[in-house]
PDB file of all heavy atoms in Angstrom:
ATOM      1  N   LEU A 102      57.199  82.522 -95.714  1.00 95.00           N
ATOM      2  CA  LEU A 102      58.318  81.518 -95.558  1.00 95.00           C
ATOM      3  C   LEU A 102      59.415  81.925 -94.748  1.00 95.00           C
ATOM      4  O   LEU A 102      59.851  83.073 -94.783  1.00 95.00           O
ATOM      5  CB  LEU A 102      58.872  81.041 -96.936  1.00 95.00           C
ATOM      6  CG  LEU A 102      57.838  80.343 -97.811  1.00 95.00           C
ATOM      7  CD1 LEU A 102      58.578  80.085 -99.255  1.00 95.00           C
ATOM      8  CD2 LEU A 102      57.336  79.124 -97.279  1.00 95.00           C
ATOM      9  N   GLU A 103      59.892  81.226 -93.763  1.00 95.00           N
ATOM     10  CA  GLU A 103      61.095  81.491 -93.007  1.00 95.00           C
ATOM     11  C   GLU A 103      62.374  81.440 -93.930  1.00 95.00           C
ATOM     12  O   GLU A 103      62.350  80.771 -94.886  1.00 95.00           O
ATOM     13  CB  GLU A 103      61.293  80.472 -91.758  1.00 95.00           C
ATOM     14  CG  GLU A 103      60.193  80.528 -90.846  1.00 95.00           C
ATOM     15  CD  GLU A 103      60.073  81.806 -90.166  1.00 95.00           C
ATOM     16  OE1 GLU A 103      61.195  82.420 -89.923  1.00 95.00           O
ATOM     17  OE2 GLU A 103      58.958  82.205 -89.865  1.00 95.00           O
ATOM     18  N   PRO A 104      63.451  82.043 -93.544  1.00 93.00           N
ATOM     19  CA  PRO A 104      64.621  81.990 -94.407  1.00 93.00           C
ATOM     20  C   PRO A 104      65.110  80.593 -94.739  1.00 93.00           C
ATOM     21  O   PRO A 104      65.495  80.310 -95.880  1.00 93.00           O
ATOM     22  CB  PRO A 104      65.635  82.803 -93.454  1.00 93.00           C
ATOM     23  CG  PRO A 104      64.780  83.665 -92.674  1.00 93.00           C
ATOM     24  CD  PRO A 104      63.573  82.993 -92.450  1.00 93.00           C
ATOM     25  N   ALA A 105      65.069  79.665 -93.750  1.00 93.00           N
ATOM     26  CA  ALA A 105      65.510  78.280 -94.000  1.00 93.00           C
ATOM     27  C   ALA A 105      64.605  77.637 -95.050  1.00 93.00           C
ATOM     28  O   ALA A 105      65.124  76.871 -95.951  1.00 93.00           O
ATOM     29  CB  ALA A 105      65.420  77.524 -92.710  1.00 93.00           C
ATOM     30  N   GLU A 106      63.349  77.887 -94.978  1.00 93.00           N
ATOM     31  CA  GLU A 106      62.454  77.413 -96.080  1.00 93.00           C
ATOM     32  C   GLU A 106      62.695  78.009 -97.493  1.00 93.00           C
ATOM     33  O   GLU A 106      62.687  77.257 -98.523  1.00 93.00           O
ATOM     34  CB  GLU A 106      60.934  77.667 -95.828  1.00 93.00           C
ATOM     35  CG  GLU A 106      60.376  76.874 -94.496  1.00 93.00           C
ATOM     36  CD  GLU A 106      59.007  77.317 -94.016  1.00 93.00           C
ATOM     37  OE1 GLU A 106      58.822  78.541 -93.741  1.00 93.00           O
ATOM     38  OE2 GLU A 106      58.272  76.540 -94.130  1.00 93.00           O
ATOM     39  N   CYS A 107      63.008  79.244 -97.423  1.00 94.00           N
ATOM     40  CA  CYS A 107      63.441  79.953 -98.652  1.00 94.00           C
ATOM     41  C   CYS A 107      64.622  79.273 -99.365  1.00 94.00           C
ATOM     42  O   CYS A 107      64.822  78.924-100.472  1.00 94.00           O
ATOM     43  CB  CYS A 107      63.607  81.325 -98.527  1.00 94.00           C
ATOM     44  SG  CYS A 107      62.123  82.451 -98.128  1.00 94.00           S
ATOM     45  N   ARG A 108      65.633  79.056 -98.500  1.00 93.00           N
ATOM     46  CA  ARG A 108      66.861  78.385 -98.940  1.00 93.00           C
ATOM     47  C   ARG A 108      66.626  76.983 -99.493  1.00 93.00           C
ATOM     48  O   ARG A 108      67.213  76.479-100.386  1.00 93.00           O
ATOM     49  CB  ARG A 108      67.917  78.353 -97.827  1.00 93.00           C
ATOM     50  CG  ARG A 108      68.456  79.696 -97.480  1.00 93.00           C
ATOM     51  CD  ARG A 108      69.390  79.807 -96.250  1.00 93.00           C
ATOM     52  NE  ARG A 108      69.812  81.015 -95.820  1.00 93.00           N
ATOM     53  CZ  ARG A 108      70.845  81.664 -96.351  1.00 93.00           C
ATOM     54  NH1 ARG A 108      71.622  81.044 -97.207  1.00 93.00           N
ATOM     55  NH2 ARG A 108      71.163  82.901 -95.992  1.00 93.00           N
ATOM     56  N   ALA A 109      65.766  76.271 -98.774  1.00 91.00           N
ATOM     57  CA  ALA A 109      65.453  74.885 -99.144  1.00 91.00           C
ATOM     58  C   ALA A 109      64.849  74.715-100.583  1.00 91.00           C
ATOM     59  O   ALA A 109      65.175  74.031-101.474  1.00 91.00           O
ATOM     60  CB  ALA A 109      64.564  74.221 -98.178  1.00 91.00           C
ATOM     61  N   HIS A 110      63.910  75.767-100.815  1.00 91.00           N
ATOM     62  CA  HIS A 110      63.262  75.806-102.176  1.00 91.00           C
ATOM     63  C   HIS A 110      64.327  76.266-103.212  1.00 91.00           C
ATOM     64  O   HIS A 110      64.404  75.636-104.373  1.00 91.00           O
ATOM     65  CB  HIS A 110      62.160  76.789-102.117  1.00 91.00           C
ATOM     66  CG  HIS A 110      60.968  76.265-101.414  1.00 91.00           C
ATOM     67  ND1 HIS A 110      60.497  75.116-101.636  1.00 91.00           N
ATOM     68  CD2 HIS A 110      60.152  76.901-100.486  1.00 91.00           C
ATOM     69  CE1 HIS A 110      59.260  74.973-100.905  1.00 91.00           C
ATOM     70  NE2 HIS A 110      59.061  76.087-100.149  1.00 91.00           N
ATOM     71  N   LEU A 111      65.087  77.309-102.923  1.00 91.00           N
ATOM     72  CA  LEU A 111      66.256  77.616-103.826  1.00 91.00           C
ATOM     73  C   LEU A 111      67.051  76.610-104.143  1.00 91.00           C
ATOM     74  O   LEU A 111      67.689  76.339-105.249  1.00 91.00           O
ATOM     75  CB  LEU A 111      66.958  78.905-103.293  1.00 91.00           C
ATOM     76  CG  LEU A 111      66.314  80.213-103.262  1.00 91.00           C
ATOM     77  CD1 LEU A 111      67.169  81.149-102.432  1.00 91.00           C
ATOM     78  CD2 LEU A 111      66.268  80.728-104.654  1.00 91.00           C
ATOM     79  N   ALA A 112      67.375  75.800-103.195  1.00 87.00           N
ATOM     80  CA  ALA A 112      68.499  74.695-103.412  1.00 87.00           C
ATOM     81  C   ALA A 112      68.054  73.679-104.364  1.00 87.00           C
ATOM     82  O   ALA A 112      68.847  72.937-104.921  1.00 87.00           O
ATOM     83  CB  ALA A 112      68.804  74.043-101.997  1.00 87.00           C
ATOM     84  N   ALA A 113      66.756  73.552-104.714  1.00 79.00           N
ATOM     85  CA  ALA A 113      66.381  72.600-105.777  1.00 79.00           C
ATOM     86  C   ALA A 113      66.890  72.773-107.151  1.00 79.00           C
ATOM     87  O   ALA A 113      66.975  72.065-108.086  1.00 79.00           O
ATOM     88  CB  ALA A 113      64.851  72.544-105.852  1.00 79.00           C
ATOM     89  N   ARG A 114      67.451  74.000-107.387  1.00 73.00           N
ATOM     90  CA  ARG A 114      67.957  74.515-108.708  1.00 73.00           C
ATOM     91  C   ARG A 114      66.983  74.392-109.654  1.00 73.00           C
ATOM     92  O   ARG A 114      65.725  74.206-109.429  1.00 73.00           O
ATOM     93  CB  ARG A 114      69.212  73.687-109.042  1.00 73.00           C
ATOM     94  CG  ARG A 114      70.261  73.584-108.064  1.00 73.00           C
ATOM     95  CD  ARG A 114      71.541  72.883-108.398  1.00 73.00           C
ATOM     96  NE  ARG A 114      71.220  71.523-108.373  1.00 73.00           N
ATOM     97  CZ  ARG A 114      72.079  70.474-108.560  1.00 73.00           C
ATOM     98  NH1 ARG A 114      73.334  70.804-108.917  1.00 73.00           N
ATOM     99  NH2 ARG A 114      71.676  69.261-108.640  1.00 73.00           N
ATOM    100  N   GLY A 115      67.340  74.728-111.022  1.00 84.00           N
ATOM    101  CA  GLY A 115      66.268  74.730-111.945  1.00 84.00           C
ATOM    102  C   GLY A 115      66.405  76.115-112.855  1.00 84.00           C
ATOM    103  O   GLY A 115      67.587  76.509-113.185  1.00 84.00           O
ATOM    104  N   VAL A 116      65.312  76.677-113.053  1.00 90.00           N
ATOM    105  CA  VAL A 116      65.174  78.009-113.803  1.00 90.00           C
ATOM    106  C   VAL A 116      64.469  78.996-112.951  1.00 90.00           C
ATOM    107  O   VAL A 116      63.510  78.793-112.397  1.00 90.00           O
ATOM    108  CB  VAL A 116      64.421  77.761-115.143  1.00 90.00           C
ATOM    109  CG1 VAL A 116      64.230  79.141-115.794  1.00 90.00           C
ATOM    110  CG2 VAL A 116      65.102  76.743-116.022  1.00 90.00           C
ATOM    111  N   GLY A 117      65.149  80.123-112.869  1.00 94.00           N
ATOM    112  CA  GLY A 117      64.581  81.317-112.175  1.00 94.00           C
ATOM    113  C   GLY A 117      64.692  82.585-113.073  1.00 94.00           C
ATOM    114  O   GLY A 117      65.211  82.442-114.205  1.00 94.00           O
ATOM    115  N   ARG A 118      64.367  83.655-112.385  1.00 96.00           N
ATOM    116  CA  ARG A 118      64.325  84.920-113.311  1.00 96.00           C
ATOM    117  C   ARG A 118      65.263  86.022-112.621  1.00 96.00           C
ATOM    118  O   ARG A 118      64.935  86.208-111.457  1.00 96.00           O
ATOM    119  CB  ARG A 118      62.951  85.407-113.528  1.00 96.00           C
ATOM    120  CG  ARG A 118      62.149  84.573-114.417  1.00 96.00           C
ATOM    121  CD  ARG A 118      60.673  84.825-114.312  1.00 96.00           C
ATOM    122  NE  ARG A 118      60.189  84.310-113.129  1.00 96.00           N
ATOM    123  CZ  ARG A 118      59.805  83.040-112.745  1.00 96.00           C
ATOM    124  NH1 ARG A 118      60.100  82.184-113.771  1.00 96.00           N
ATOM    125  NH2 ARG A 118      59.385  82.630-111.739  1.00 96.00           N
TER     126      ARG A 118
END
Side-chain angles (χ1 to χ4, degrees):
L102 294 177
E103 297 294 331
E106 295 176 293
C107 293
R108 290 175 184 274
H110 286 312
L111 282 169
R114 300 177 293 182
V116 175
R118 289 162 292 280

